[in-house]
Amino acid sequence: MKGPCKSSAKNEDQQGEVAATACKAENFWTADSRFALETEGTHSLGEPVTAALYLESCQALSVVPASCLLRQGSASELNLRHRGLGPQRLDLRDNGLCVAGAEALADVLCKNSIISDVDLSENQIGAAGLQALCAALAVNPAVQKMQLGGNRLEEKAAQHLAALLLRHTSLQSLDLSYNQLNDLAGETLGPALAENTGLTELNLSWNHLRGPGAIALAKGLEANIFLKVLDISHNGFGDSGASSIGEALKANNVLEELNMRNNRISMTGALRLGLGLQVNQTLRILIISKNPIRIEGYVSLLKSIRNNRSSALELLDLSEVQVNRECDDLTNSVTAILPGLCIKNNTSRRKDWPPASTPSQPAPAPTDSGLVSSMPL
């Protein structure tokens, strides 16, 4: 019985330590201590608002403020020696680091063996700052997740990113959202994505990927055998990009989540994307909302999924796409065949449907390939 007794005693000691820390934090927040820290902080900080925000955050989290942070204030160098931080995640989002800050951080990351998650979003580091960071990550296998959204990364930065994807196989998650990566950047990143053997999550949303760049990325996805989550929403993939994604889905047997929201995909692109959905067996989540695919595109996608009895789809998001009663009936038939599939659309908001034979928009003329006319219900 010694083992359980020791375990119980240890748990009681841990609970006692937690309670003591909470009590210490609660007792700390007296009027005198708050005034003393605010006075101490504003003496060197020169910015009372910054000190106040820090103090408010500490109070909200019931933690004792670190007086060393208030003392150092707006100094050009922040000294946190001997503080025993040992973090696994470094969050420096929205700190105005720019190029100089990124280069200084790169020097730290070269020697790091602890930090595995780095958030440098919204720091405007640009291509030069990114180059320094990529060089550091190339020799540091510890970092597994990197967030670089909102950093003014353009086509020149894509060269450094491509080199990183080819060299850093330990990086598992990369966020490049809210940048200015264009079609030329896509042409650079596509081949690197095809060869990458580490990434499982890639976020490229809110960029300027279109045309040849979108096609190159899709081809990279087709060859990639590790990526499980891809977000390319709010770009300009269009019909050519959607067609290439459809081709990729025929061959790719790893991808599980794909977000294509708001990509200027029309009915034609939806038809081509559906060809991939007819055979793909791994995709679980597909978001294609807010695209002008019209009723015909909606119907073609659902028919493609209905024809794939091995489909792994669990969520199909077609919200903000125009629908009618025909769409509603087809949705019900698809979910009857695939009961594990949730189809998100706008049908629940419509109470008075027009007759199924009267579409709300004129049907397009059949294409040369006959894709529209050859799909009876």
Side-chain angles (χ1 to χ4, degrees):
M1 296 297 292
K2 280 187 176 181
C5 291
K6 288 184 177 179
S7 176
S8 176
K10 184 177 180 181
N11 290 336
E12 289 178 0
D13 290 342
Q14 290 176 342
Q15 292 174 0
E17 290 176 5
V18 171
T21 302
C23 182
K24 181 180 178 182
E26 182 179 355
N27 292 336
F28 177 86
W29 290 106
T30 63
D32 291 340
S33 62
R34 185 182 294 107
F35 175 77
L37 273 177
E38 289 175 350
T39 303
E40 178 185 16
T42 54
H43 176 69
S44 60
L45 191 65
E47 298 178 6
V49 174
T50 304
L53 287 174
Y54 173 62
L55 291 169
E56 289 174 4
S57 299
C58 290
Q59 185 174 16
L61 295 171
S62 298
V63 296
V64 178
S67 58
C68 67
L69 293 178
L70 292 169
R71 282 197 299 270
Q72 295 183 69
S74 57
S76 59
E77 179 179 339
L78 179 61
N79 186 343
L80 293 176
R81 295 176 185 171
H82 316 301
R83 296 288 165 179
L85 296 178
Q88 290 185 330
R89 185 172 193 271
L90 178 62
D91 188 346
L92 294 174
R93 175 186 288 264
D94 190 20
N95 269 286
L97 296 180
C98 299
V99 177
E103 291 175 343
L105 181 60
D107 185 55
V108 174
L109 290 177
C110 282
K111 306 163 186 174
N112 160 68
S113 60
I114 299 175
I115 301 173
S116 61
D117 183 346
V118 181
D119 188 349
L120 298 177
S121 306
E122 302 170 35
N123 273 292
Q124 314 304 320
I125 64 173
L130 178 67
Q131 182 178 13
L133 288 170
C134 288
L137 293 177
V139 297
N140 176 15
V143 177
Q144 299 178 1
K145 182 176 182 179
M146 176 69 77
Q147 292 174 257
L148 294 168
N151 270 294
R152 295 182 181 175
L153 303 181
E154 301 177 346
E155 58 187 81
K156 185 180 293 186
Q159 300 174 6
H160 307 308
L161 290 169
L164 177 66
L165 292 179
L166 292 173
R167 297 176 63 184
H168 195 320
T169 57
S170 298
L171 189 64
Q172 298 176 9
S173 177
L174 180 61
D175 183 353
L176 298 170
S177 60
Y178 291 94
N179 281 294
Q180 288 88 49
L181 298 171
N182 57 16
D183 54 339
L184 293 177
E187 291 184 76
T188 301
L189 292 174
L193 180 62
E195 298 294 330
N196 178 265
T197 57
L199 275 185
T200 57
E201 297 182 15
L202 177 61
N203 187 349
L204 287 165
S205 62
W206 292 95
N207 276 280
H208 308 311
L209 297 166
R210 54 178 64 91
I215 294 174
L217 274 172
K219 289 183 177 179
L221 173 65
E222 182 176 352
N224 185 282
I225 57 172
F226 285 87
L227 197 66
K228 293 185 177 182
V229 180
L230 176 62
D231 188 345
I232 51 175
S233 60
H234 299 278
N235 278 281
F237 267 58
D239 292 337
S240 60
S243 177
S244 297
I245 291 292
E247 289 298 314
L249 291 178
K250 292 179 181 179
N252 185 289
N253 60 359
V254 178
L255 192 69
E256 296 180 1
E257 300 181 23
L258 176 61
N259 189 343
M260 300 182 69
R261 174 182 171 86
N262 196 18
N263 260 285
R264 305 177 186 174
I265 300 170
S266 73
M267 174 199 69
T268 302
L271 293 170
R272 300 297 182 184
L273 179 64
L275 297 178
L277 295 176
Q278 285 184 351
V279 296
N280 184 275
Q281 298 181 18
T282 59
L283 194 65
R284 295 187 303 104
I285 297 175
L286 173 61
I287 301 174
I288 194 171
S289 55
K290 209 172 183 180
N291 280 290
I293 65 173
R294 299 171 58 175
I295 293 172
E296 293 77 16
Y298 183 106
V299 169
S300 69
L301 283 174
L302 262 65
K303 287 181 178 179
S304 296
I305 295 170
R306 185 179 63 181
N307 293 336
N308 181 2
R309 297 301 178 93
S310 299
S311 174
L313 272 178
E314 299 172 5
L315 172 63
L316 176 63
D317 188 345
L318 289 163
S319 56
E320 299 181 71
V321 174
Q322 184 181 14
V323 293
N324 63 3
R325 178 173 289 171
E326 178 187 12
C327 298
D328 194 26
D329 294 341
L330 181 58
T331 298
N332 292 334
S333 70
V334 171
T335 53
I337 296 172
L338 299 170
L341 172 61
C342 173
I343 300 176
K344 185 178 179 181
N345 54 30
N346 297 334
T347 57
S348 59
R349 304 175 188 174
R350 300 289 296 272
K351 300 301 182 183
D352 300 318
W353 291 107
S357 59
T358 308
S360 55
Q361 290 189 4
T367 61
D368 293 338
S369 61
L371 285 172
V372 174
S373 58
S374 63
M375 283 192 167
L377 273 175

